Amino acid sequence: HRDVYTQFHDSFGSHYTVKRSVDEEHDEVEVYSSEQAVINWVIQNSGRAEIIRPNLLRKKLSERAAALLKQYK
Protein backbone atom coordinates (compact mmCIF):
# COMPACT_ATOMS: atom_id res chain seq x y z
CA HIS A 1 0.00 0.00 0.00
CA ARG A 2 2.99 2.32 0.27
CA ASP A 3 2.86 3.10 -3.47
CA VAL A 4 -0.10 5.34 -2.67
CA TYR A 5 2.37 7.87 -1.25
CA THR A 6 3.72 8.42 -4.75
CA GLN A 7 0.16 9.32 -5.74
CA PHE A 8 -0.18 11.58 -2.70
CA HIS A 9 3.01 13.37 -3.66
CA ASP A 10 1.98 13.66 -7.32
CA SER A 11 -1.38 15.16 -6.31
CA PHE A 12 -0.58 17.16 -3.19
CA GLY A 13 3.18 17.68 -3.22
CA SER A 14 4.41 17.82 0.35
CA HIS A 15 1.02 19.01 1.64
CA TYR A 16 0.14 15.86 3.57
CA THR A 17 1.20 14.24 6.81
CA VAL A 18 1.05 10.56 7.72
CA LYS A 19 -0.65 10.62 11.13
CA ARG A 20 -0.51 6.92 12.06
CA SER A 21 -0.61 3.39 10.75
CA VAL A 22 -4.06 1.92 11.34
CA ASP A 23 -3.06 -1.61 10.33
CA GLU A 24 -0.84 -3.35 7.78
CA GLU A 25 -2.85 -1.99 4.86
CA HIS A 26 -4.20 1.35 6.11
CA ASP A 27 -2.71 4.62 7.27
CA GLU A 28 -4.37 7.78 8.50
CA VAL A 29 -3.14 10.74 6.45
CA GLU A 30 -3.93 14.42 6.87
CA VAL A 31 -4.06 16.34 3.58
CA TYR A 32 -3.71 20.11 3.27
CA SER A 33 -5.52 21.05 0.07
CA SER A 34 -8.77 22.40 -1.28
CA GLU A 35 -11.90 20.42 -0.53
CA GLN A 36 -12.51 19.85 -4.22
CA ALA A 37 -9.01 18.46 -4.78
CA VAL A 38 -9.42 16.03 -1.89
CA ILE A 39 -12.87 14.92 -3.06
CA ASN A 40 -11.59 14.37 -6.62
CA TRP A 41 -8.62 12.37 -5.33
CA VAL A 42 -10.80 10.17 -3.12
CA ILE A 43 -13.18 9.49 -6.02
CA GLN A 44 -10.22 8.46 -8.18
CA ASN A 45 -8.96 6.20 -5.40
CA SER A 46 -12.30 5.18 -3.93
CA GLY A 47 -11.31 1.58 -3.35
CA ARG A 48 -8.22 2.67 -1.42
CA ALA A 49 -9.19 5.95 0.24
CA GLU A 50 -11.80 7.26 2.65
CA ILE A 51 -12.44 10.67 4.13
CA ILE A 52 -12.65 10.19 7.88
CA ARG A 53 -13.09 13.81 8.89
CA PRO A 54 -14.21 16.51 8.83
CA ASN A 55 -17.80 15.30 8.65
CA LEU A 56 -18.76 18.20 6.38
CA LEU A 57 -16.26 16.99 3.77
CA ARG A 58 -17.62 13.43 4.06
CA LYS A 59 -21.11 14.88 3.46
CA LYS A 60 -19.91 16.80 0.39
CA LEU A 61 -18.33 13.64 -1.00
CA SER A 62 -21.54 11.72 -0.37
CA GLU A 63 -23.54 14.38 -2.22
CA ARG A 64 -21.08 14.30 -5.13
CA ALA A 65 -21.26 10.50 -5.29
CA ALA A 66 -25.07 10.63 -5.29
CA ALA A 67 -25.01 13.17 -8.13
CA LEU A 68 -22.63 10.97 -10.13
CA LEU A 69 -24.82 7.93 -9.54
CA LYS A 70 -27.89 9.85 -10.69
CA GLN A 71 -26.09 11.16 -13.78
CA TYR A 72 -24.92 7.73 -14.89
CA LYS A 73 -27.95 5.67 -13.89
Side-chain angles (χ1 to χ4, degrees):
H1 81 286
R2 299 290 177 198
D3 65 314
V4 75
Y5 291 112
T6 299
Q7 294 174 10
F8 269 123
H9 190 75
D10 288 350
S11 298
F12 303 111
S14 61
H15 301 285
Y16 68 92
T17 302
V18 179
K19 302 302 279 185
R20 67 186 181 99
S21 178
V22 176
D23 58 35
E24 286 186 15
E25 295 185 21
H26 301 95
D27 294 335
E28 183 176 338
V29 179
E30 187 171 13
V31 177
Y32 311 98
S33 188
S34 70
E35 289 182 347
Q36 194 60 49
V38 173
I39 288 171
N40 289 340
W41 193 89
V42 170
I43 288 171
Q44 285 180 293
N45 296 278
S46 61
R48 299 172 12 167
E50 177 184 359
I51 295 173
I52 298 171
R53 61 184 168 280
N55 287 333
L56 180 58
L57 191 55
R58 285 180 64 93
K59 183 176 189 280
K60 288 180 180 182
L61 175 58
S62 177
E63 291 168 353
R64 173 89 180 274
L68 286 169
L69 182 61
K70 183 179 178 182
Q71 179 179 351
Y72 289 97
K73 200 168 188 182

